[in-house]
Amino acid sequence: MRLVGFIGLGIMGQPMALRLARAGIPLVVHNRTPSRAAPLRAAGARVAGGPAEVFDRAGTVILMLADGPAIDAVLARGTAEFATRVARHTVVHMGTTAPEYSHGLEADIRAAGGRYVEAPVSGSRVPAETGALVAMLAGEESAVARVRPVLAPLCRDTFFCGPAPNALLTKLAVNLFLITLVTGLTEAFHFAERHGLDRRRFLDVLDAGPMASAVSRMKAPKLLDGDFTAQAAASDVLKNNRLIAEAARATGLASPLLDAAHALFEETVSLGHGGEDMVAVLRALEARTAELDGS
């Protein structure tokens, strides 16, 4: 198999790339902060000095980057180098951006002679480490078929969603449910705690009932232990919240539950907890409670 490129070794990207390397996928990787690539080198991946080297050596290049400007910089989009970099390559966009951005990126890559697959995933750091992500795929069916075997070590399931940006729209719909679900769990935990209930007993009751889920089983212990180490950082959740809200407004949709969560995550980040796990929304709830107590 020809080398596969992987650019972006952040909270999600590093464990994803490690899964691929340990599954025997020949990798060449790059990250803006070189130290993030050290575990990949130890796992047998080749570490490139920059994005251009990744494209020189790999036919398929996976991008797990924070936003559109980061993607544009890696691809040299808007410069004469862009066409040279992406032509005859398959670019796999696995991050979360605005759907309209992805749609425009696909058009530019295809016009330059490249192929494009939109492949956002559902899941946080732990599923990334264990290969239990769920991928939503969009693009030309032939390009998607080429990419599926590469993504297999990362994913429990993959779903073809049609043309881009349908995969990102699906991801935003999934994230709307996730954000409101975790916010609701955290508010229920805060309610139980403030009423002096045994917090572990409350969570045991929740876990035994019909509302239990993989998400609650992952997040409840973090709430109980006060462990806010990021699996999905609050600042990233806020970014996703904004993307969903923008997509909703673009089609005239109301999103009242999302809007309430949006305000809470803005408060969480403003309180200095943006780098902590999304259950740190508890801090915004505690701050609101303190305001009520003081009134």
Side-chain angles (χ1 to χ4, degrees), residues 30-269:
H30 172 71
N31 193 69
R32 185 174 57 183
T33 304
S35 61
R36 298 288 299 175
L40 273 300
R41 191 191 301 275
R46 305 178 193 189
V47 179
E53 184 182 345
V54 175
F55 280 88
D56 286 345
R57 302 177 73 174
T60 297
V61 179
I62 296 169
L63 306 179
M64 192 62 181
L65 296 165
D67 52 30
I71 293 169
D72 291 346
V74 158
L75 297 179
R77 193 176 179 205
T79 75
E81 176 64 21
F82 173 75
T84 304
R85 196 163 291 187
V86 304
R88 298 178 300 282
H89 288 77
T90 300
V91 178
V92 185
H93 170 28
M94 297 195 74
T96 304
T97 60
E100 60 269 23
Y101 168 84
S102 178
H103 192 254
L105 180 61
E106 178 189 40
D108 286 352
I109 288 173
R110 291 180 64 180
R115 302 178 124 199
Y116 179 79
V117 174
E118 198 179 74
V121 292
S122 179
S124 57
R125 184 177 180 89
V126 171
E129 291 171 342
T130 59
L133 297 170
V134 175
M136 292 142 278
L137 308 177
E140 291 182 296
E141 290 192 47
S142 58
V144 170
R146 181 188 298 253
V147 165
R148 274 187 192 270
V150 177
L151 301 184
L154 304 177
C155 301
R156 184 180 69 243
D157 288 297
T158 60
F159 294 91
F160 180 60
C161 299
N166 280 7
L168 272 166
L169 286 168
T170 303
K171 168 69 183 291
L172 294 184
V174 169
N175 277 6
L176 195 162
F177 180 50
L178 172 66
I179 291 167
T180 54
L181 178 68
V182 174
T183 303
L185 169 65
T186 306
E187 185 171 331
F189 179 85
H190 182 55
F191 178 93
E193 185 175 50
R194 291 287 293 191
H195 281 84
L197 301 180
D198 182 318
R199 299 175 306 159
R200 184 179 295 277
R201 179 60 52 84
F202 161 67
L203 293 174
D204 286 344
V205 171
L206 177 65
D207 193 48
M211 286 82 72
S213 67
V215 171
S216 67
R217 288 173 178 145
M218 183 180 297
K219 297 304 184 185
K222 293 180 75 65
L223 286 166
L224 184 64
D225 297 338
D227 173 17
F228 293 168
T229 305
Q231 294 170 337
S235 58
D236 291 334
V237 173
L238 178 58
K239 183 197 84 169
N240 277 266
N241 207 314
R242 288 172 176 156
L243 290 173
I244 301 165
E246 288 167 5
R249 300 301 172 265
T251 49
L253 292 174
S255 54
L257 291 178
L258 179 76
D259 297 345
H262 195 162
L264 286 166
F265 276 97
E266 283 185 332
E267 292 164 27
T268 303
V269 172

